[in-house]
Amino acid sequence: MGLKALRQKKWIKIMTNTYVLVLTIFVIWMAFFDTNSLLIHRELQKEINKLEQKKEFLQKEIEHDKKLLEKLSSKDELEKFAREKYFMKKDGEEIFLIEYEDSLKLKQ
């Protein structure tokens, strides 16, 4: 099978066509070597997905904080929050903290 017989095959004719060669080189270049290659697009899409997840988490936190601020807008709720979270007290009051054995971390 000589060179002439090899050139007569259909797929060789198609592959040696100038337009097909240029198109193949162009596609390979754009897919792997260009500054906007498919690999970079994939990395950027992963980063976009991470940022969207972070955005959703932060929006949920904002909603939670807004509800907390609404709740703390009344004076009684604010006082209750300060007493429970920060152990604040009124003048002349004493606070006793009761800790149970199972809530203490025992050092070994």
Side-chain angles (χ1 to χ4, degrees), residues 64-74 77:
H64 177 264
D65 291 343
K66 282 182 182 180
K67 288 178 184 176
L68 184 61
L69 283 173
E70 279 182 28
K71 185 178 174 184
L72 294 178
S73 63
S74 71
E77 287 293 326

Side-chain angles (χ1 to χ4, degrees), residues 9-107:
K9 293 196 177 194
K10 187 176 181 179
W11 64 275
I12 295 288
K13 278 186 176 181
I14 293 172
M15 292 305 292
T16 57
N17 186 338
T18 308
Y19 295 113
V20 173
L21 286 173
V22 169
L23 181 65
T24 305
I25 292 170
F26 176 75
V27 168
I28 291 172
W29 180 265
M30 293 304 289
F32 299 106
F33 302 116
D34 192 47
T35 57
N36 298 320
S37 69
L38 294 176
L39 301 173
I40 292 174
H41 277 286
R42 191 177 70 194
E43 290 175 14
L44 291 174
Q45 189 61 42
K46 285 180 184 178
E47 189 171 340
I48 287 171
N49 291 339
K50 285 180 189 177
L51 291 173
E52 285 176 350
Q53 289 175 351
K54 188 174 182 179
K55 178 184 171 185
E56 288 175 14
F57 171 75
L58 291 175
Q59 285 177 338
K60 288 178 185 176
E61 288 295 314
I62 288 171
E63 289 299 318
H64 177 264
D65 291 343
K66 282 182 182 180
K67 288 178 184 176
L68 184 61
L69 283 173
E70 279 182 28
K71 185 178 174 184
L72 294 178
S73 63
S74 71
K75 192 172 182 177
D76 294 334
E77 287 293 326
L78 183 62
E79 182 180 337
K80 179 182 175 187
F81 181 79
R83 287 173 177 265
E84 289 176 357
K85 285 283 191 184
Y86 299 107
F87 307 114
M88 294 185 169
K89 62 179 186 151
K90 293 181 181 178
D91 291 335
E93 252 184 357
E94 289 185 29
I95 295 179
F96 298 99
L97 298 177
I98 301 172
E99 294 181 355
Y100 298 102
E101 264 188 59
D102 59 347
S103 67
L104 297 175
K105 293 182 181 178
L106 300 175
K107 293 183 181 178

